[in-house]
Structure formats: structure tokens, C-alpha cells
Amino acid sequence: MASRNRVLVPEAREALDRFKLEAAKEVGTPLTNGYNGDLTSRQNGSVGGQMVKKIVEDYENHLK
């Protein structure tokens, strides 16, 4: 199966990585730039959830 986790704008990869590390820090997940296979699904999911939460908040703030 092909990976669906690809960056559509390659120039944005660095910003997305910074955003992911920032979200991980906020939820207390020890995420690194390298291998993170030792983290649980719950830890990784909390990072993704935090990222979505921040994106939605930003969008809602721009609507006001």
C-alpha cells in the first residue's frame, strides 16, 4: 500500500515538522525528528489530535 502521508507542498515540510514537534511538546509526548517507533499509538495519536485542534482553533479565529 502506498503511503498517504505525503506533503503536497514540499517547501512546507520543515514548517510541518516544527508544528508537529510543538504539538508533541504541548501534550508531553517525547517526539523526536528521527525514529519514534518506541512511542505508543496513544502518544502519537495525541500529537495528531493536538495538531488538528490547533488548526481548527486557528481557522475559527480567522472567521471572527
Side-chain angles (χ1 to χ4, degrees):
M1 174 181 242
S3 174
R4 294 174 24 174
N5 294 328
R6 60 191 166 108
V7 178
L8 296 178
V9 181
E11 297 81 14
R13 178 166 300 284
E14 187 177 323
L16 287 170
D17 287 340
R18 283 193 314 266
F19 181 46
K20 182 171 34 176
L21 291 173
E22 177 185 320
K25 186 175 182 179
E26 289 175 3
V27 295
T29 299
L31 195 69
T32 62
N33 276 331
Y35 176 75
N36 289 295
D38 55 337
L39 299 177
T40 65
S41 295
R42 172 175 246 152
Q43 288 173 306
N44 285 317
S46 68
V47 173
Q50 181 69 7
M51 290 173 72
V52 171
K53 179 180 174 183
K54 291 182 72 151
I55 291 169
V56 169
E57 286 175 354
D58 186 56
Y59 178 77
E60 288 176 341
N61 287 334
H62 280 88
L63 287 177
K64 294 179 182 179

CSV table of all heavy atoms in Angstrom, one decimal:
chain,number,residue,atom,x,y,z
A,1,MET,N,0.8,-1.2,0.0
A,1,MET,CA,0.0,0.0,0.0
A,1,MET,C,0.9,1.2,0.0
A,1,MET,O,1.8,1.3,0.8
A,1,MET,CB,-0.9,0.0,1.2
A,1,MET,CG,-1.7,1.2,1.4
A,1,MET,SD,-2.8,1.1,2.9
A,1,MET,CE,-4.3,1.2,2.1
A,2,ALA,N,0.6,2.2,-0.8
A,2,ALA,CA,1.3,3.4,-0.9
A,2,ALA,C,1.1,4.3,0.3
A,2,ALA,O,0.0,4.3,0.9
A,2,ALA,CB,1.0,4.2,-2.2
A,3,SER,N,2.1,5.0,0.7
A,3,SER,CA,1.9,6.0,1.8
A,3,SER,C,1.0,7.1,1.5
A,3,SER,O,1.2,7.7,0.4
A,3,SER,CB,3.3,6.5,2.3
A,3,SER,OG,3.1,7.4,3.3
A,4,ARG,N,0.1,7.4,2.3
A,4,ARG,CA,-0.8,8.6,2.1
A,4,ARG,C,-0.3,9.8,2.8
A,4,ARG,O,-0.9,10.9,2.7
A,4,ARG,CB,-2.2,8.2,2.5
A,4,ARG,CG,-2.8,7.2,1.7
A,4,ARG,CD,-4.2,6.7,2.1
A,4,ARG,NE,-4.9,7.6,2.9
A,4,ARG,CZ,-6.1,7.4,3.3
A,4,ARG,NH1,-6.7,6.3,3.0
A,4,ARG,NH2,-6.7,8.3,4.0
A,5,ASN,N,0.7,9.7,3.7
A,5,ASN,CA,1.2,10.8,4.5
A,5,ASN,C,2.3,11.5,3.7
A,5,ASN,O,3.5,11.3,4.0
A,5,ASN,CB,1.8,10.3,5.8
A,5,ASN,CG,0.7,9.7,6.7
A,5,ASN,OD1,-0.4,10.2,6.6
A,5,ASN,ND2,1.0,8.8,7.5
A,6,ARG,N,1.9,12.2,2.7
A,6,ARG,CA,2.9,12.9,1.9
A,6,ARG,C,2.6,14.4,1.9
A,6,ARG,O,1.4,14.8,2.0
A,6,ARG,CB,3.0,12.4,0.5
A,6,ARG,CG,1.7,12.5,-0.3
A,6,ARG,CD,1.8,11.8,-1.6
A,6,ARG,NE,0.4,11.7,-2.1
A,6,ARG,CZ,0.0,12.3,-3.2
A,6,ARG,NH1,0.8,13.1,-3.8
A,6,ARG,NH2,-1.3,12.2,-3.5
A,7,VAL,N,3.6,15.2,1.8
A,7,VAL,CA,3.4,16.6,1.9
A,7,VAL,C,3.2,17.1,0.4
A,7,VAL,O,4.0,16.8,-0.5
A,7,VAL,CB,4.7,17.3,2.4
A,7,VAL,CG1,4.6,18.8,2.4
A,7,VAL,CG2,5.0,16.9,3.8
A,8,LEU,N,2.1,17.8,0.2
A,8,LEU,CA,1.7,18.2,-1.1
A,8,LEU,C,2.6,19.4,-1.6
A,8,LEU,O,2.8,19.6,-2.8
A,8,LEU,CB,0.2,18.6,-1.2
A,8,LEU,CG,-0.8,17.4,-0.9
A,8,LEU,CD1,-2.2,18.0,-0.9
A,8,LEU,CD2,-0.6,16.3,-1.9
A,9,VAL,N,3.0,20.2,-0.6
A,9,VAL,CA,3.9,21.3,-0.9
A,9,VAL,C,5.3,21.0,-0.3
A,9,VAL,O,5.4,21.2,1.0
A,9,VAL,CB,3.3,22.6,-0.4
A,9,VAL,CG1,4.3,23.8,-0.8
A,9,VAL,CG2,2.0,22.9,-1.0
A,10,PRO,N,6.2,20.5,-1.0
A,10,PRO,CA,7.5,20.1,-0.4
A,10,PRO,C,8.2,21.2,0.4
A,10,PRO,O,8.8,20.9,1.4
A,10,PRO,CB,8.4,19.7,-1.6
A,10,PRO,CG,7.4,19.3,-2.6
A,10,PRO,CD,6.2,20.2,-2.4
A,11,GLU,N,8.0,22.4,0.0
A,11,GLU,CA,8.6,23.5,0.8
A,11,GLU,C,8.0,23.7,2.2
A,11,GLU,O,8.6,24.3,3.0
A,11,GLU,CB,8.4,24.8,0.0
A,11,GLU,CG,9.1,24.9,-1.4
A,11,GLU,CD,8.3,24.2,-2.5
A,11,GLU,OE1,7.1,23.9,-2.3
A,11,GLU,OE2,8.9,23.9,-3.5
A,12,ALA,N,6.9,23.1,2.4
A,12,ALA,CA,6.2,23.2,3.7
A,12,ALA,C,6.7,22.1,4.7
A,12,ALA,O,6.3,22.2,5.9
A,12,ALA,CB,4.7,23.1,3.6
A,13,ARG,N,7.5,21.1,4.3
A,13,ARG,CA,7.9,20.0,5.2
A,13,ARG,C,8.5,20.5,6.5
A,13,ARG,O,8.2,20.0,7.6
A,13,ARG,CB,8.8,19.1,4.5
A,13,ARG,CG,9.2,17.9,5.4
A,13,ARG,CD,9.9,16.8,4.8
A,13,ARG,NE,9.1,16.1,3.8
A,13,ARG,CZ,8.1,15.2,4.1
A,13,ARG,NH1,7.7,15.1,5.3
A,13,ARG,NH2,7.4,14.6,3.1
A,14,GLU,N,9.4,21.4,6.4
A,14,GLU,CA,10.1,21.9,7.6
A,14,GLU,C,9.2,22.6,8.6
A,14,GLU,O,9.2,22.3,9.8
A,14,GLU,CB,11.2,22.9,7.2
A,14,GLU,CG,12.1,23.3,8.4
A,14,GLU,CD,13.2,24.2,8.0
A,14,GLU,OE1,13.8,24.1,6.9
A,14,GLU,OE2,13.5,25.1,8.8
A,15,ALA,N,8.2,23.4,8.1
A,15,ALA,CA,7.2,24.0,9.0
A,15,ALA,C,6.3,23.0,9.6
A,15,ALA,O,6.0,23.1,10.8
A,15,ALA,CB,6.4,25.0,8.2
A,16,LEU,N,5.9,22.0,8.8
A,16,LEU,CA,5.1,20.9,9.4
A,16,LEU,C,5.8,20.1,10.5
A,16,LEU,O,5.2,19.7,11.5
A,16,LEU,CB,4.6,19.9,8.3
A,16,LEU,CG,3.6,20.5,7.3
A,16,LEU,CD1,3.4,19.6,6.1
A,16,LEU,CD2,2.3,20.7,8.0
A,17,ASP,N,7.1,19.9,10.3
A,17,ASP,CA,7.9,19.2,11.3
A,17,ASP,C,8.0,20.0,12.6
A,17,ASP,O,7.8,19.5,13.7
A,17,ASP,CB,9.3,18.8,10.8
A,17,ASP,CG,9.3,17.7,9.7
A,17,ASP,OD1,8.3,16.9,9.7
A,17,ASP,OD2,10.2,17.6,9.0
A,18,ARG,N,8.2,21.3,12.4
A,18,ARG,CA,8.2,22.2,13.6
A,18,ARG,C,6.9,22.2,14.3
A,18,ARG,O,6.8,22.1,15.6
A,18,ARG,CB,8.6,23.6,13.2
A,18,ARG,CG,10.1,23.8,12.9
A,18,ARG,CD,10.5,25.2,12.9
A,18,ARG,NE,9.6,26.1,12.1
A,18,ARG,CZ,9.8,26.3,10.8
A,18,ARG,NH1,10.8,25.9,10.1
A,18,ARG,NH2,8.9,27.1,10.1
A,19,PHE,N,5.8,22.2,13.5
A,19,PHE,CA,4.4,22.2,14.1
A,19,PHE,C,4.2,20.9,14.9
A,19,PHE,O,3.6,20.9,16.0
A,19,PHE,CB,3.4,22.4,12.9
A,19,PHE,CG,2.0,22.5,13.4
A,19,PHE,CD1,1.6,23.2,14.5
A,19,PHE,CD2,1.0,21.8,12.7
A,19,PHE,CE1,0.3,23.3,14.8
A,19,PHE,CE2,-0.3,21.8,13.0
A,19,PHE,CZ,-0.7,22.6,14.1
A,20,LYS,N,4.6,19.8,14.3
A,20,LYS,CA,4.4,18.5,14.9
A,20,LYS,C,5.2,18.4,16.3
A,20,LYS,O,4.7,18.0,17.3
A,20,LYS,CB,4.9,17.4,14.0
A,20,LYS,CG,4.7,16.0,14.5
A,20,LYS,CD,4.9,14.9,13.5
A,20,LYS,CE,5.9,15.1,12.5
A,20,LYS,NZ,6.2,14.0,11.7
A,21,LEU,N,6.4,18.9,16.3
A,21,LEU,CA,7.2,18.9,17.5
A,21,LEU,C,6.6,19.8,18.6
A,21,LEU,O,6.7,19.5,19.8
A,21,LEU,CB,8.7,19.3,17.2
A,21,LEU,CG,9.4,18.2,16.4
A,21,LEU,CD1,10.8,18.7,16.0
A,21,LEU,CD2,9.6,16.9,17.1
A,22,GLU,N,6.1,21.0,18.1
A,22,GLU,CA,5.5,21.9,19.0
A,22,GLU,C,4.2,21.2,19.7
A,22,GLU,O,4.0,21.3,20.9
A,22,GLU,CB,5.1,23.2,18.3
A,22,GLU,CG,4.3,24.2,19.1
A,22,GLU,CD,3.9,25.4,18.3
A,22,GLU,OE1,4.6,25.8,17.4
A,22,GLU,OE2,2.7,25.8,18.5
A,23,ALA,N,3.4,20.6,18.9
A,23,ALA,CA,2.2,19.9,19.4
A,23,ALA,C,2.6,18.8,20.3
A,23,ALA,O,1.9,18.6,21.4
A,23,ALA,CB,1.4,19.4,18.2
A,24,ALA,N,3.7,18.0,20.0
A,24,ALA,CA,4.1,17.0,20.9
A,24,ALA,C,4.6,17.5,22.2
A,24,ALA,O,4.2,16.9,23.3
A,24,ALA,CB,5.3,16.2,20.2
A,25,LYS,N,5.2,18.6,22.2
A,25,LYS,CA,5.7,19.2,23.5
A,25,LYS,C,4.5,19.7,24.3
A,25,LYS,O,4.5,19.5,25.5
A,25,LYS,CB,6.6,20.4,23.2
A,25,LYS,CG,7.2,21.0,24.4
A,25,LYS,CD,8.2,22.1,24.0
A,25,LYS,CE,8.9,22.7,25.2
A,25,LYS,NZ,9.8,23.8,24.8
A,26,GLU,N,3.5,20.2,23.7
A,26,GLU,CA,2.3,20.7,24.4
A,26,GLU,C,1.5,19.5,25.1
A,26,GLU,O,1.0,19.7,26.2
A,26,GLU,CB,1.3,21.4,23.4
A,26,GLU,CG,1.9,22.7,23.0
A,26,GLU,CD,1.0,23.4,22.0
A,26,GLU,OE1,-0.1,22.8,21.6
A,26,GLU,OE2,1.4,24.5,21.5
A,27,VAL,N,1.5,18.3,24.5
A,27,VAL,CA,0.8,17.2,25.1
A,27,VAL,C,1.8,16.3,25.9
A,27,VAL,O,1.3,15.3,26.5
A,27,VAL,CB,0.0,16.4,24.1
A,27,VAL,CG1,-1.1,17.2,23.5
A,27,VAL,CG2,0.9,15.8,23.0
A,28,GLY,N,3.1,16.7,26.0
A,28,GLY,CA,4.0,15.9,26.8
A,28,GLY,C,4.5,14.6,26.2
A,28,GLY,O,4.9,13.7,26.9
A,29,THR,N,4.5,14.5,24.8
A,29,THR,CA,5.0,13.3,24.1
A,29,THR,C,6.4,13.6,23.7
A,29,THR,O,6.7,14.6,23.1
A,29,THR,CB,4.1,13.1,22.9
A,29,THR,OG1,2.8,12.8,23.4
A,29,THR,CG2,4.6,11.8,22.2
A,30,PRO,N,7.3,12.6,24.1
A,30,PRO,CA,8.8,12.8,23.7
A,30,PRO,C,9.1,12.5,22.3
A,30,PRO,O,9.8,11.5,21.9
A,30,PRO,CB,9.4,11.8,24.7
A,30,PRO,CG,8.4,10.7,24.9
A,30,PRO,CD,7.1,11.4,24.8
A,31,LEU,N,8.5,13.3,21.4
A,31,LEU,CA,8.7,13.1,19.9
A,31,LEU,C,10.0,13.6,19.5
A,31,LEU,O,10.4,14.7,20.0
A,31,LEU,CB,7.6,13.7,19.2
A,31,LEU,CG,7.3,13.4,17.7
A,31,LEU,CD1,6.8,11.9,17.6
A,31,LEU,CD2,6.3,14.3,17.1
A,32,THR,N,10.7,13.0,18.6
A,32,THR,CA,12.0,13.4,18.1
A,32,THR,C,11.9,13.5,16.6
A,32,THR,O,11.0,13.1,15.9
A,32,THR,CB,13.2,12.5,18.4
A,32,THR,OG1,12.9,11.2,17.8
A,32,THR,CG2,13.3,12.3,19.9
A,33,ASN,N,12.9,14.1,15.9
A,33,ASN,CA,13.0,14.2,14.5
A,33,ASN,C,13.3,12.9,13.8
A,33,ASN,O,13.0,12.7,12.6
A,33,ASN,CB,14.0,15.3,14.0
A,33,ASN,CG,13.5,16.7,14.1
A,33,ASN,OD1,12.3,16.9,13.9
A,33,ASN,ND2,14.3,17.6,14.3
A,34,GLY,N,13.8,12.0,14.6
A,34,GLY,CA,14.2,10.7,14.0
A,34,GLY,C,13.1,9.6,14.2
A,34,GLY,O,11.9,9.9,14.1
A,35,TYR,N,13.6,8.4,14.5
A,35,TYR,CA,12.7,7.3,14.7
A,35,TYR,C,11.9,7.5,16.0
A,35,TYR,O,12.4,7.8,17.0
A,35,TYR,CB,13.6,6.0,14.9
A,35,TYR,CG,12.8,4.8,15.2
A,35,TYR,CD1,12.1,4.2,14.2
A,35,TYR,CD2,12.9,4.2,16.4
A,35,TYR,CE1,11.4,3.0,14.5
A,35,TYR,CE2,12.2,3.1,16.7
A,35,TYR,CZ,11.4,2.5,15.7
A,35,TYR,OH,10.7,1.3,16.0
A,36,ASN,N,10.6,7.2,15.9
A,36,ASN,CA,9.7,7.3,17.0
A,36,ASN,C,8.8,6.0,17.2
A,36,ASN,O,7.8,6.1,17.8
A,36,ASN,CB,8.8,8.5,16.9
A,36,ASN,CG,9.5,9.8,17.0
A,36,ASN,OD1,10.0,10.1,18.1
A,36,ASN,ND2,9.6,10.6,15.9
A,37,GLY,N,9.4,4.9,16.7
A,37,GLY,CA,8.6,3.7,16.8
A,37,GLY,C,8.4,3.1,18.2
A,37,GLY,O,7.6,2.2,18.4
A,38,ASP,N,9.2,3.7,19.2
A,38,ASP,CA,9.0,3.2,20.5
A,38,ASP,C,7.9,3.9,21.3
A,38,ASP,O,7.5,3.6,22.4
A,38,ASP,CB,10.3,3.5,21.3
A,38,ASP,CG,10.8,4.9,21.2
A,38,ASP,OD1,10.4,5.6,20.3
A,38,ASP,OD2,11.6,5.3,22.1
A,39,LEU,N,7.2,4.9,20.6
A,39,LEU,CA,6.1,5.6,21.2
A,39,LEU,C,4.8,4.7,21.0
A,39,LEU,O,4.7,4.0,20.0
A,39,LEU,CB,5.9,7.0,20.6
A,39,LEU,CG,7.1,7.9,20.8
A,39,LEU,CD1,6.8,9.2,20.1
A,39,LEU,CD2,7.3,8.1,22.3
A,40,THR,N,3.8,4.9,21.9
A,40,THR,CA,2.6,4.1,21.7
A,40,THR,C,1.7,4.8,20.7
A,40,THR,O,1.9,6.0,20.4
A,40,THR,CB,1.8,4.1,23.1
A,40,THR,OG1,1.5,5.4,23.5
A,40,THR,CG2,2.7,3.4,24.1
A,41,SER,N,0.7,4.1,20.3
A,41,SER,CA,-0.3,4.7,19.4
A,41,SER,C,-1.0,5.9,20.0
A,41,SER,O,-1.4,6.9,19.4
A,41,SER,CB,-1.3,3.6,19.0
A,41,SER,OG,-0.7,2.6,18.2
A,42,ARG,N,-1.3,5.7,21.3
A,42,ARG,CA,-2.0,6.8,22.1
A,42,ARG,C,-1.1,8.1,22.1
A,42,ARG,O,-1.6,9.2,21.9
A,42,ARG,CB,-2.2,6.3,23.5
A,42,ARG,CG,-2.8,7.5,24.4
A,42,ARG,CD,-3.1,7.0,25.7
A,42,ARG,NE,-4.6,7.2,25.8
A,42,ARG,CZ,-5.4,6.5,26.5
A,42,ARG,NH1,-5.0,5.5,27.2
A,42,ARG,NH2,-6.7,6.7,26.5
A,43,GLN,N,0.2,7.9,22.3
A,43,GLN,CA,1.1,9.1,22.3
A,43,GLN,C,1.1,9.7,20.9
A,43,GLN,O,1.0,11.0,20.8
A,43,GLN,CB,2.5,8.7,22.7
A,43,GLN,CG,2.6,8.3,24.2
A,43,GLN,CD,4.0,7.8,24.5
A,43,GLN,OE1,4.5,6.8,23.8
A,43,GLN,NE2,4.7,8.4,25.4
A,44,ASN,N,1.3,8.9,19.9
A,44,ASN,CA,1.3,9.5,18.5
A,44,ASN,C,0.0,10.1,18.2
A,44,ASN,O,-0.1,11.2,17.5
A,44,ASN,CB,1.7,8.4,17.5
A,44,ASN,CG,3.2,8.2,17.6
A,44,ASN,OD1,4.0,9.1,17.7
A,44,ASN,ND2,3.5,6.9,17.5
A,45,GLY,N,-1.1,9.5,18.6
A,45,GLY,CA,-2.5,10.0,18.3
A,45,GLY,C,-2.7,11.3,19.0
A,45,GLY,O,-3.4,12.2,18.4
A,46,SER,N,-2.2,11.5,20.2
A,46,SER,CA,-2.4,12.7,20.9
A,46,SER,C,-1.7,13.9,20.2
A,46,SER,O,-2.2,15.0,20.2
A,46,SER,CB,-1.9,12.6,22.4
A,46,SER,OG,-0.5,12.5,22.4
A,47,VAL,N,-0.6,13.6,19.6
A,47,VAL,CA,0.1,14.6,18.8
A,47,VAL,C,-0.7,15.1,17.6
A,47,VAL,O,-1.0,16.2,17.4
A,47,VAL,CB,1.5,14.2,18.3
A,47,VAL,CG1,2.1,15.2,17.4
A,47,VAL,CG2,2.4,13.9,19.5
A,48,GLY,N,-1.2,14.1,16.9
A,48,GLY,CA,-2.1,14.4,15.7
A,48,GLY,C,-3.3,15.1,16.1
A,48,GLY,O,-3.8,16.1,15.5
A,49,GLY,N,-3.9,14.7,17.2
A,49,GLY,CA,-5.1,15.3,17.7
A,49,GLY,C,-4.9,16.8,18.1
A,49,GLY,O,-5.7,17.7,17.9
A,50,GLN,N,-3.7,17.0,18.8
A,50,GLN,CA,-3.4,18.4,19.1
A,50,GLN,C,-3.2,19.3,17.9
A,50,GLN,O,-3.6,20.4,17.9
A,50,GLN,CB,-2.1,18.4,20.0
A,50,GLN,CG,-1.7,19.7,20.5
A,50,GLN,CD,-2.6,20.4,21.5
A,50,GLN,OE1,-3.6,19.7,22.0
A,50,GLN,NE2,-2.4,21.6,21.9
A,51,MET,N,-2.6,18.7,16.9
A,51,MET,CA,-2.4,19.4,15.6
A,51,MET,C,-3.7,19.8,15.0
A,51,MET,O,-3.9,21.0,14.6
A,51,MET,CB,-1.5,18.6,14.7
A,51,MET,CG,-0.1,18.4,15.1
A,51,MET,SD,0.8,17.3,14.0
A,51,MET,CE,1.0,18.3,12.6
A,52,VAL,N,-4.6,18.9,15.0
A,52,VAL,CA,-6.0,19.2,14.4
A,52,VAL,C,-6.7,20.2,15.2
A,52,VAL,O,-7.3,21.2,14.7
A,52,VAL,CB,-6.8,17.9,14.3
A,52,VAL,CG1,-8.2,18.2,13.9
A,52,VAL,CG2,-6.2,17.0,13.3
A,53,LYS,N,-6.6,20.1,16.6
A,53,LYS,CA,-7.2,21.1,17.5
A,53,LYS,C,-6.7,22.5,17.2
A,53,LYS,O,-7.5,23.4,17.1
A,53,LYS,CB,-6.9,20.7,18.9
A,53,LYS,CG,-7.5,21.6,19.9
A,53,LYS,CD,-7.2,21.1,21.3
A,53,LYS,CE,-7.6,22.1,22.4
A,53,LYS,NZ,-7.3,21.7,23.7
A,54,LYS,N,-5.4,22.6,17.0
A,54,LYS,CA,-4.8,23.9,16.8
A,54,LYS,C,-5.2,24.5,15.4
A,54,LYS,O,-5.4,25.7,15.3
A,54,LYS,CB,-3.3,23.9,16.9
A,54,LYS,CG,-2.8,23.6,18.4
A,54,LYS,CD,-1.4,23.6,18.5
A,54,LYS,CE,-0.9,25.0,18.3
A,54,LYS,NZ,0.3,25.4,19.0
A,55,ILE,N,-5.3,23.6,14.4
A,55,ILE,CA,-5.7,24.1,13.1
A,55,ILE,C,-7.1,24.6,13.1
A,55,ILE,O,-7.4,25.6,12.5
A,55,ILE,CB,-5.5,22.9,12.1
A,55,ILE,CG1,-4.0,22.6,11.9
A,55,ILE,CG2,-6.2,23.2,10.7
A,55,ILE,CD1,-3.7,21.4,11.1
A,56,VAL,N,-8.0,23.8,13.8
A,56,VAL,CA,-9.4,24.2,13.9
A,56,VAL,C,-9.5,25.5,14.6
A,56,VAL,O,-10.3,26.4,14.2
A,56,VAL,CB,-10.3,23.1,14.5
A,56,VAL,CG1,-11.7,23.6,14.9
A,56,VAL,CG2,-10.3,21.9,13.6
A,57,GLU,N,-8.8,25.7,15.7
A,57,GLU,CA,-8.8,26.9,16.5
A,57,GLU,C,-8.4,28.1,15.7
A,57,GLU,O,-9.0,29.2,15.7
A,57,GLU,CB,-8.0,26.8,17.8
A,57,GLU,CG,-8.6,26.0,18.9
A,57,GLU,CD,-7.6,25.8,20.0
A,57,GLU,OE1,-6.4,26.2,19.9
A,57,GLU,OE2,-8.0,25.2,21.0
A,58,ASP,N,-7.3,27.9,14.9
A,58,ASP,CA,-6.8,29.0,14.0
A,58,ASP,C,-7.8,29.4,13.0
A,58,ASP,O,-8.1,30.5,12.7
A,58,ASP,CB,-5.5,28.5,13.4
A,58,ASP,CG,-4.8,29.7,12.6
A,58,ASP,OD1,-4.6,30.7,13.2
A,58,ASP,OD2,-4.6,29.5,11.4
A,59,TYR,N,-8.5,28.4,12.4
A,59,TYR,CA,-9.5,28.6,11.4
A,59,TYR,C,-10.7,29.4,12.0
A,59,TYR,O,-11.1,30.4,11.4
A,59,TYR,CB,-10.0,27.3,10.8
A,59,TYR,CG,-11.0,27.5,9.7
A,59,TYR,CD1,-10.7,27.9,8.4
A,59,TYR,CD2,-12.4,27.2,10.0
A,59,TYR,CE1,-11.7,28.1,7.5
A,59,TYR,CE2,-13.4,27.4,9.1
A,59,TYR,CZ,-13.0,27.8,7.8
A,59,TYR,OH,-14.0,28.0,6.9
A,60,GLU,N,-11.1,29.0,13.2
A,60,GLU,CA,-12.2,29.6,13.8
A,60,GLU,C,-11.9,31.1,14.2
A,60,GLU,O,-12.7,32.0,14.0
A,60,GLU,CB,-12.7,28.9,15.1
A,60,GLU,CG,-13.4,27.6,14.7
A,60,GLU,CD,-13.7,26.7,15.9
A,60,GLU,OE1,-13.1,27.0,17.0
A,60,GLU,OE2,-14.6,25.8,15.8
A,61,ASN,N,-10.7,31.3,14.6
A,61,ASN,CA,-10.2,32.7,14.9
A,61,ASN,C,-10.2,33.6,13.7
A,61,ASN,O,-10.5,34.8,13.8
A,61,ASN,CB,-8.9,32.7,15.6
A,61,ASN,CG,-8.9,32.1,17.0
A,61,ASN,OD1,-10.0,32.2,17.7
A,61,ASN,ND2,-7.8,31.6,17.5
A,62,HIS,N,-9.9,33.0,12.5
A,62,HIS,CA,-9.9,33.8,11.3
A,62,HIS,C,-11.3,34.1,10.8
A,62,HIS,O,-11.5,35.0,10.0
A,62,HIS,CB,-9.0,33.1,10.2
A,62,HIS,CG,-7.6,33.3,10.4
A,62,HIS,ND1,-6.8,32.4,11.2
A,62,HIS,CD2,-6.8,34.2,9.9
A,62,HIS,CE1,-5.6,32.9,11.1
A,62,HIS,NE2,-5.5,34.0,10.4
A,63,LEU,N,-12.3,33.3,11.2
A,63,LEU,CA,-13.6,33.6,10.8
A,63,LEU,C,-14.2,34.7,11.5
A,63,LEU,O,-15.2,35.4,11.0
A,63,LEU,CB,-14.5,32.3,11.0
A,63,LEU,CG,-14.3,31.1,10.1
A,63,LEU,CD1,-15.2,30.0,10.6
A,63,LEU,CD2,-14.5,31.5,8.7
A,64,LYS,N,-13.7,35.0,12.7
A,64,LYS,CA,-14.3,36.1,13.5
A,64,LYS,C,-14.0,37.5,13.0
A,64,LYS,O,-13.1,37.8,12.4
A,64,LYS,CB,-13.8,36.0,14.9
A,64,LYS,CG,-14.3,34.7,15.6
A,64,LYS,CD,-13.7,34.6,17.0
A,64,LYS,CE,-14.2,33.3,17.6
A,64,LYS,NZ,-13.6,33.2,18.9
